[in-house]
Amino acid sequence: QVQLVESGGGLVQAGGSLRLSCAASGRTFSNYAMGWFRQAPGKEREFVTGISRKGYRTYYADSVKGRFTISRDNAKNTVYLQMNSLKPEDTAVYYCAAGDSYNGDHYDYWGQGTQVTVSS
């Protein structure tokens, strides 16, 4: 089992920045690719970005390319999501997940989510 706990969400104005963190415990963190997903009210959950086990490869949804950056620190068992130039449409609950791939497929473990609200 892997336990994931997100933090860093909050309320920010459009154009602002937030940095989300996801702390992992349980099994060896570096054995898992990590991803960030989000779900806005009334919408399906969507893949935002992913990172490979050692952090060499990343993948971004078109909607966040150039604005969001995923990174990980395997020594701290933590994955980060730096979000810049935030837009109201980025408002959602953000979830981190651990699994086999960094491109949005097949995640086995999920955090409880953290709310991000971007005001216009």
Side-chain angles (χ1 to χ4, degrees):
Q1 288 282 351
V2 176
Q3 292 78 43
L4 302 172
V5 179
E6 302 96 336
S7 61
L11 174 64
V12 64
Q13 289 188 333
S17 298
L18 279 175
R19 188 194 196 201
L20 305 183
S21 299
C22 173
S25 60
R27 293 185 176 179
T28 304
F29 178 67
S30 59
N31 286 348
Y32 296 91
M34 299 297 296
W36 285 96
F37 291 75
R38 66 186 180 186
Q39 187 167 20
K43 295 187 177 181
E44 292 188 355
R45 184 173 62 196
E46 64 170 341
F47 174 71
V48 176
T49 179
I51 190 166
S52 59
R53 290 168 177 79
K54 294 186 176 181
Y56 295 152
R57 292 168 289 180
T58 58
Y59 188 93
Y60 294 92
D62 288 343
S63 58
V64 305
K65 279 181 182 177
R67 300 189 298 122
F68 290 13
T69 303
I70 188 171
S71 61
R72 66 189 295 164
D73 185 337
N74 287 345
K76 295 183 178 180
N77 293 347
T78 302
V79 62
Y80 305 97
L81 181 61
Q82 178 66 44
M83 305 186 294
N84 298 329
S85 302
L86 283 161
K87 304 175 182 180
E89 51 264 43
D90 295 317
T91 295
V93 177
Y94 283 72
Y95 300 89
C96 70
D100 293 337
S101 69
Y102 65 97
N103 63 357
D105 295 329
H106 195 204
Y107 290 87
D108 299 308
Y109 304 102
W110 296 83
Q112 83 290 346
T114 186
Q115 177 70 47
V116 171
T117 303
V118 184
S119 63
S120 58

